[in-house]
Amino acid sequence: MSDIPFGFGPSDRDPQRRDENGPGGGGNPADPFGFGALFGGAGGGSPEDLLGKMPLFAELQKLMTWSGGPVNWDLARQGAISQLAAGHQPTSAAERSEVTEALRLADLWLDQVTELPSGIERTAAWSRVDWLEQTLPAWGALIDPLAERVVAAMTSALPAEAAAVAGPLSGVMGQMGGVMFGAQVGQALGKLADEVVTSTDVGLPLAPAGTAALVPQNVDAFREGLDRPEEEVRLFLALREAAHQRLFAHVPWLRQQLADAVHAYARGIHVDADAIQRGLEDAMGGMEGGFDPQDPEKLQQLLGSGVLEPAETEEQQRALRRLETLLALVEGWVDVVVAEAAGQRLPGHGALAETMRRRRASGGPAEQTFATLVGLQLRPRRLRDAATVWGAMAAQHGSEARDQLWSHPDLLPTAEDLDEPLDFVGRQSRPSAADAAAEQDEFDRLTAGLDLGDPDDAPGTDGDTGSGDTGSGDTGSAPR
């Protein structure tokens, strides 16, 4: 998966291949952007030659007339599916039955450890291609705002001489951006589809609402080397999927908060013109023969140098911190309730949970995806601290008090709270029922302090009904 976040990254990082395909290296000057490689390596020739190769020209025309947004999702889908084609295995009827049974049993176990009810309306066993097809709408909603802002920021940062050339071709530049983004997203999602084991494996609700899904082919790959029964591994992952579904179904603001954090990052993208201008001057000065705005290869070299990538702002850092905290809280809660539900039922739960932790720490699909999308590295320390909060809340105040923290976003631990998770739990001094009783005791004490002498002579206030004139049974006066 590419380490470069969205942007005009280098088309080829291999110096030898760049030399071979670049100026003087036997490359094709008529194809400076290397689009020939996208179509089976067909290359070369004059425009007339290209027009004569109608299948190639038709495919290129289709790519360059995309009008569905800043990312060419047709290209992304085709690229990802082509990546998956060689190892694709459709799901069988037996696998679908096994997944349904595992999710049904997982929901029964979770009923005993959390107040949140089941969020599963339908179950599914997806192939890798199924996962891609079913989650593309969610990826589009997340990625398009980012891509749009990045393209706008980078275009506005072009030097005057490059902008003069690019101005008349702004439409073509936009289409090229869509192609570049589409190719990069397709590569990332194809890699991700090879690894994800459930629909919520990246911490986000990517499946259609109410759908719980496992990817049997990837579940088998996850199980390799674990020396645990197939049914046990499947049930462990079903517990995680069913737990995620409960949160996303019954915490109505959670989906939107996660999406808003990603979009807040996009809104924070802006260009430091002075810093970029200095970088551009250095980049153009370092080009052999200088920068020639009429040379499309030099323009591509400039775009791929990285100097046009916008710097991260304080607003973006806050958005990333909020996103990281929310994802850690989700994953920490899932870890805790799955551990409670598995209990003594799954002898291998400890080993399976440790495998999942190592998977995250080594850069699993969630970390890799968010690193590609927004530069976010999901730190395992945050997950451990979030799990500490949820576990301590249940131990000290019960599972009901723990789950009630999800009733409003303001009740959740903040990033600062995760620095000292036990202090946060200690401040949650009483369960909600005890809080209500304590408040009533305090109210009774204060109102009793106003009862000076005969209740009929107690001082009144606006709206006071303590005089007994209405016979309403108000607690402001004691019955005689």
Side-chain angles (χ1 to χ4, degrees):
M1 186 175 295
S2 171
D3 292 329
I4 297 180
F6 287 140
F8 293 96
S11 59
D12 196 335
R13 295 183 178 83
D14 187 322
Q16 180 178 352
R17 286 200 298 270
R18 284 202 302 270
D19 292 342
E20 291 172 355
N21 295 324
N28 180 11
D31 185 19
F33 297 100
F35 283 122
L38 292 175
F39 311 109
S46 66
E48 290 78 13
D49 292 332
L50 291 176
L51 286 172
K53 300 175 180 177
M54 292 307 296
L56 172 62
F57 181 74
E59 192 66 27
L60 178 60
Q61 186 179 42
K62 185 192 300 182
L63 284 175
M64 299 304 289
T65 56
W66 166 262
S67 59
V71 177
N72 188 324
W73 286 101
D74 284 349
L75 177 61
R77 177 181 174 277
Q78 293 167 11
I81 288 177
S82 67
Q83 260 183 265
L84 299 171
H88 174 66
Q89 294 179 11
T91 57
S92 66
E95 287 173 329
R96 291 191 290 272
S97 177
E98 290 165 351
V99 167
T100 296
E101 180 60 24
L103 287 166
R104 184 196 65 80
L105 184 56
D107 250 351
L108 289 175
W109 290 2
L110 289 170
D111 284 339
Q112 302 172 33
V113 298
T114 176
E115 302 298 317
L116 296 179
S118 172
I120 298 176
E121 298 175 8
R122 66 195 68 86
T123 63
W126 286 344
S127 68
R128 291 168 175 173
V129 173
D130 291 334
W131 178 90
L132 175 72
E133 298 277 15
Q134 293 292 331
T135 63
L136 271 179
W139 287 117
L142 284 170
I143 294 172
D144 276 345
L146 286 167
E148 186 173 11
R149 291 288 296 183
V150 170
V151 169
M154 290 166 56
T155 302
S156 67
L158 283 172
E161 55 266 43
V165 175
L169 302 175
S170 58
V172 175
M173 292 283 288
Q175 299 301 331
M176 286 178 56
V179 169
M180 292 178 181
F181 281 126
Q184 186 176 26
V185 171
Q187 179 188 14
L189 295 185
K191 173 65 174 173
L192 194 57
D194 273 336
E195 301 176 5
V196 290
V197 290
T198 68
S199 77
T200 54
D201 208 8
V202 300
L204 292 174
L206 298 175
T211 299
L214 270 62
V215 184
Q217 184 177 357
N218 292 346
V219 171
D220 289 342
F222 176 85
R223 187 172 64 89
E224 289 179 2
L226 292 179
D227 194 26
R228 301 307 308 172
E230 179 182 350
E231 296 80 3
E232 187 175 290
V233 174
R234 186 187 305 114
L235 186 51
F236 168 75
L237 296 175
L239 280 166
R240 292 185 53 81
E241 174 74 350
H244 278 103
Q245 292 295 334
R246 290 185 182 228
L247 272 186
F248 292 129
H250 300 293
V251 181
W253 50 265
L254 183 56
R255 289 172 179 260
Q256 192 59 48
Q257 288 262 333
L258 288 166
D260 286 349
V262 176
H263 297 163
Y265 181 90
R267 289 193 300 271
I269 295 174
H270 81 286
V271 174
D272 182 345
D274 293 338
I276 288 181
Q277 185 62 37
R278 291 193 297 271
L280 287 170
E281 291 172 356
D282 292 342
M284 290 187 293
M287 290 182 183
E288 185 178 351
F291 176 72
D292 179 3
Q294 301 294 332
D295 184 344
E297 187 162 336
K298 290 292 180 66
L299 183 59
Q300 171 68 357
Q301 185 179 342
L302 179 65
L303 292 171
S305 66
V307 300
L308 297 181
E309 293 178 7
E312 189 173 272
T313 65
E314 290 186 9
E315 179 183 351
Q316 290 175 292
Q317 291 171 358
R318 288 193 298 270
L320 288 179
R321 198 175 190 197
R322 176 62 175 162
L323 177 59
E324 179 186 57
T325 301
L326 275 175
L327 289 171
L329 289 171
V330 168
E331 289 299 300
W333 184 87
V334 167
D335 280 358
V336 167
V337 298
V338 167
E340 290 182 28
Q344 301 302 315
R345 298 183 177 109
L346 292 182
H349 170 264
L352 292 169
E354 179 59 30
T355 299
M356 187 63 71
R357 284 191 289 269
R358 288 200 305 268
R359 189 170 182 246
R360 297 188 192 113
S362 63
E367 289 81 0
Q368 292 177 1
T369 300
F370 281 104
T372 299
L373 297 184
V374 294
L376 171 67
Q377 293 291 341
L378 204 62
R379 293 173 292 168
R381 180 177 68 84
R382 298 285 82 182
L383 297 177
R384 289 195 297 270
D385 294 338
T388 298
V389 166
W390 298 123
M393 278 295 298
Q396 295 186 32
H397 307 306
S399 61
E400 181 179 0
R402 176 198 65 199
D403 295 346
Q404 281 180 349
L405 291 178
W406 288 107
S407 62
H408 193 279
D410 291 345
L411 298 178
L412 287 178
T414 64
E416 291 75 18
D417 292 327
L418 292 186
D419 292 334
E420 298 291 343
L422 295 181
D423 287 351
F424 171 83
V425 174
R427 292 195 298 272
Q428 318 304 308
S429 57
R430 308 177 188 89
S432 57
D435 283 340
E439 289 176 5
Q440 184 62 46
D441 290 344
E442 181 69 5
F443 176 78
D444 290 344
R445 186 185 68 80
L446 293 173
T447 54
L450 295 176
D451 188 4
L452 304 176
D454 192 291
D456 289 338
D457 297 329
T461 58
D462 290 348
D464 176 52
T465 59
S467 63
D469 292 340
T470 64
S472 62
D474 183 85
T475 58
S477 60
R480 296 189 174 184

